[in-house]
């Protein structure tokens, strides 16, 4: 399958971020259709039938998430776009934010209309200054055209949209941490239940979706949920953006139909391993997902179920390519340094465990490790992942154990060198 550009269509045009260009290629026609031809419940049913799954990493069905909101609940209700994008290896959302923000904004307005929401926030990672400027400009353009504000297009529906800049905390990619941050609190995860659909921003019903999830909505409304579902697999509808980086000939952001064969994506579209070297391993969904060896990639397709069947996760779609020269001990040392720094510190297993994990790998990498350290990782891991409020514990435990189990000899080689130096 070649690339299938729906979200990324015309994104190379230098004017792709402007509302006039976006409207010239059919932009905001889905909003018109939703307002004039569809009841709110029909919109949610269409999104359900599309098999659109959340593109932030968890892959929860978007239509089902939207149905959790009670339209008739009294008082204000909110919509949040998660534009934090902090997963190492991920850089697809910023393409939309900076080069085609109106497709996301249109999707948000449709979502708000379907759920009866009053206001929305786009939570943008603090380091994304150029994307932030582009989104702010796009929101002003949408207000000027009458797509945001009071009585949109004379329908009686009103919706206001705001940007909110984070401060660069990885944990604020988790929806309840993000909500706390918007409220001006520390970005700490909340216990669930209650879920945001019942108790979100300011204690009000709230729906949180990713940038790419909202960007997929206009094409679903224009072409139908069935059309979108048939682009993908039975359980993973539509197209997906993939950020591919590392030792690859043609790194970048690609839009593929769900179910595209791995080999076709990597070799035909991306050109294979850079410099003709041998492939050593692939991290398929960002640094928090288990690493896969080349033999495990056989028969894999780019969708949630197939990647999971191989023992990893599609996650955010951040594909990291590692060639034969990669030092897996050095790489894990770098990854765990990141996670030790980014723990919010709320849960004892995570706060202490992330530092323990980094201390152990740092010791091994610097020639002071012991073979028992590898078993210590396993023992510590059992007491971290299942005992934390959010998934951050799993985010550093799971990849660590996959590195050690699949490349144990490399870790042992470092340890043996340490033993020789000691003797």
């Amino acid at each position: 399958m070649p690339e299938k550009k729906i979200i990324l269509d015309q994104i190379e045009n230098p004017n792709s971020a402007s509302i006039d260009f976006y409207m010239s290629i059919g932009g905001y026609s889905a909003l018109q259709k939703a307002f004039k031809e569809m009841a709110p419940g029909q919109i949610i049913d269409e999104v359900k039938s599309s098999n659109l799954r959340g593109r932030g990493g968890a892959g929860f069905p978007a239509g089902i998430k939207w149905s959790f909101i009670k339209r008739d609940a009294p008082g204000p209700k909110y919509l949040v776009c998660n534009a934090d994008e902090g997963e190492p290896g991920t850089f697809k959302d910023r393409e939309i934010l900076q080069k085609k923000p109106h497709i996301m904004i249109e999707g948000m307005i449709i979502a708000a209309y379907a759920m009866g929401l009053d206001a929305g926030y786009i939570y943008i990672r603090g380091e994304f200054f150029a994307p932030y400027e582009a989104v702010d400009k796009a929101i002003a353009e949408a207000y000027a055209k009458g797509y945001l504000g009071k009585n949109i297009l004379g329908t009686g529906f009103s919706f206001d949209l705001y940007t909110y800049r984070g401060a660069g905390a990885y944990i604020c990619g988790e929806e309840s941490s993000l909500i706390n941050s918007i409220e001006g609190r520390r970005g700490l995860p909340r216990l669930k239940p209650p879920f945001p659909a019942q108790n979100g921003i300011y204690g009000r019903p709230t729906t949180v979706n990713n940038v790419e999830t909202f960007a997929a909505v206009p094409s679903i409304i224009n072409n139908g949920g069935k059309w979108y579902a048939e682009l993908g697999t039975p359980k993973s509808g539509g197209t997906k953006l993939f950020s591919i980086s590392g030792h690859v000939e043609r790194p970048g952001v690609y839009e593929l139909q769900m179910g595209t064969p791995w080999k076709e994506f990597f070799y035909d579209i991306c050109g294979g391993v850079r410099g003709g070297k041998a492939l050593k391993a692939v991290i398929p969904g960002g640094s928090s997902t288990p690493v896969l060896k080349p033999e495990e990639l056989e028969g894999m397709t780019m969708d949630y179920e197939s990647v999971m069947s191989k023992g990893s996760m599609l996650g955010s779609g951040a594909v990291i390519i590692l060639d034969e020269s990669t030092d897996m001990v050095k790489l894990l040392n770098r990854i765990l340094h990141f996670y030790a720094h980014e723990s919010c510190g709320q849960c004892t297993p995570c706060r202490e465990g992330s530092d323990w994990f980094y201390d152990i790998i740092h010791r091994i990498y610097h020639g002071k490790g012991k073979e028992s350290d590898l078993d210590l990782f396993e023992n510590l891991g059992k007491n971290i992942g299942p005992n934390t409020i959010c998934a951050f514990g799993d985010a550093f435990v799971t990849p660590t154990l996959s590195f050690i189990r699949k490349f144990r000899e490399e870790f042992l080689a470092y340890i043996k060198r340490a033993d020789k130096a000691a003797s």
Side-chain angles (χ1 to χ4, degrees):
M1 301 177 186
E3 274 195 90
K4 179 72 174 180
K5 291 190 176 183
I6 296 173
I7 293 174
L8 297 185
D9 182 44
Q10 302 291 329
I11 205 165
E12 298 89 357
N13 190 291
N15 298 313
S16 63
S18 75
I19 195 167
D20 290 334
F21 180 81
Y22 181 62
M23 291 177 68
S24 76
I25 60 171
Y28 289 103
S29 61
L31 181 62
Q32 301 266 3
K33 179 181 178 181
F35 280 174
K36 294 177 180 178
E37 302 177 23
M38 303 175 74
Q42 287 178 293
I43 295 171
I44 294 176
D45 288 342
E46 208 68 55
V47 174
K48 283 182 180 178
S49 69
S50 73
N51 289 334
L52 172 65
R53 296 173 63 167
R55 302 301 198 225
F60 191 83
I64 293 176
K65 194 174 199 179
W66 292 12
S67 69
F68 293 156
I69 291 284
K70 292 184 178 180
R71 282 184 56 84
D72 57 354
K77 297 178 285 295
Y78 298 102
L79 185 66
V80 176
C81 179
N82 185 345
D84 188 66
E85 193 166 51
E87 178 73 8
T90 311
F91 48 92
K92 46 99 176 173
D93 287 344
R94 72 193 75 176
E95 286 287 291
I96 300 170
L97 296 169
Q98 189 166 346
K99 298 179 182 178
K100 203 174 177 182
H102 283 285
I103 196 170
M104 170 194 67
I105 292 170
E106 183 179 13
M108 290 188 72
I109 301 168
I110 293 169
Y113 174 66
M115 289 179 273
L117 309 182
D118 302 275
Y121 296 90
I122 302 171
Y123 187 96
I124 300 180
R125 191 166 186 81
E127 294 91 338
F128 291 177
F129 190 72
Y132 161 73
E133 287 189 315
V135 171
D136 247 13
K137 181 180 179 182
I139 289 174
E141 290 177 332
Y143 269 106
K145 293 286 186 181
Y147 294 130
L148 287 170
K150 304 297 181 185
N151 191 25
I152 298 172
L153 301 180
T155 60
F157 173 70
S158 301
F159 181 67
D160 289 303
L161 189 58
Y162 310 93
T163 52
Y164 189 99
R165 295 184 68 196
Y170 175 83
I171 198 65
C172 286
E174 191 275 333
E175 63 180 14
S176 65
S177 304
L178 182 155
I179 288 170
N180 274 338
S181 181
I182 289 176
E183 291 180 346
R185 305 169 187 268
R186 286 183 63 190
L188 302 178
R190 299 178 179 180
L191 286 170
K192 300 175 185 177
F195 293 92
Q198 290 80 44
N199 189 337
I201 295 178
Y202 310 123
R204 304 300 305 153
T206 303
T207 294
V208 184
N209 277 129
N210 171 262
V211 172
E212 186 188 345
T213 310
F214 287 121
V217 171
S219 65
I220 292 170
I221 299 304
N222 272 331
N223 299 289
K226 184 174 182 291
W227 167 84
Y228 190 83
E230 290 176 350
L231 290 174
T233 68
K235 293 185 178 180
S236 298
T239 62
K240 172 84 182 76
L241 302 189
F242 291 93
S243 319
I244 186 166
S245 61
H247 304 137
V248 59
E249 282 287 356
R250 293 190 285 273
V253 179
Y254 297 88
E255 186 172 4
L256 308 176
Q257 290 179 233
M258 285 285 198
T260 298
W262 156 255
K263 284 187 175 180
E264 186 175 327
F265 171 47
F266 181 54
Y267 292 103
D268 298 346
I269 297 174
C270 299
V273 183
R274 186 179 65 196
K277 293 184 177 181
L279 179 65
K280 183 173 186 175
V282 172
I283 301 174
S287 66
S288 63
T289 61
V291 65
L292 296 176
K293 300 182 81 170
E295 57 269 24
E296 295 175 295
L297 300 166
E298 286 298 319
M300 189 177 82
T301 55
M302 303 307 289
D303 57 82
Y304 294 98
E305 290 74 35
S306 182
V307 178
M308 187 173 289
S309 73
K310 299 296 183 180
S312 191
M313 294 176 287
L314 192 67
S316 59
V319 183
I320 303 170
I321 305 301
L322 308 173
D323 72 16
E324 59 189 327
S325 68
T326 305
D327 183 330
M328 303 302 282
V329 180
K330 183 178 181 180
L331 176 57
L332 185 59
N333 182 69
R334 185 68 191 88
I335 290 172
L336 290 180
H337 180 265
F338 170 82
Y339 285 108
H341 179 269
E342 291 295 332
S343 173
C344 73
Q346 183 175 200
C347 306
T348 302
C350 189
R351 180 182 66 246
E352 302 298 325
S354 58
D355 274 336
W356 269 100
F357 265 53
Y358 177 60
D359 286 347
I360 296 167
I361 192 63
H362 187 266
R363 187 164 68 232
I364 293 172
Y365 179 59
H366 288 279
K368 298 178 182 178
K370 301 174 289 185
E371 189 168 350
S372 60
D373 287 336
L374 303 183
D375 296 324
L376 185 56
F377 274 126
E378 296 275 357
N379 291 332
L380 286 172
K382 294 174 185 176
N383 294 302
I384 296 172
N387 297 307
T388 53
I389 291 174
C390 77
F392 187 93
D394 284 324
F396 67 84
V397 170
T398 303
T400 298
L401 299 185
S402 75
F403 268 63
I404 292 169
R405 290 166 183 168
K406 295 176 182 181
F407 298 95
R408 191 177 184 89
E409 290 305 315
E410 288 194 39
F411 291 86
L412 289 174
Y414 267 84
I415 291 166
K416 288 174 183 174
R417 286 200 291 271
D419 290 341
K420 286 181 181 179
S423 61

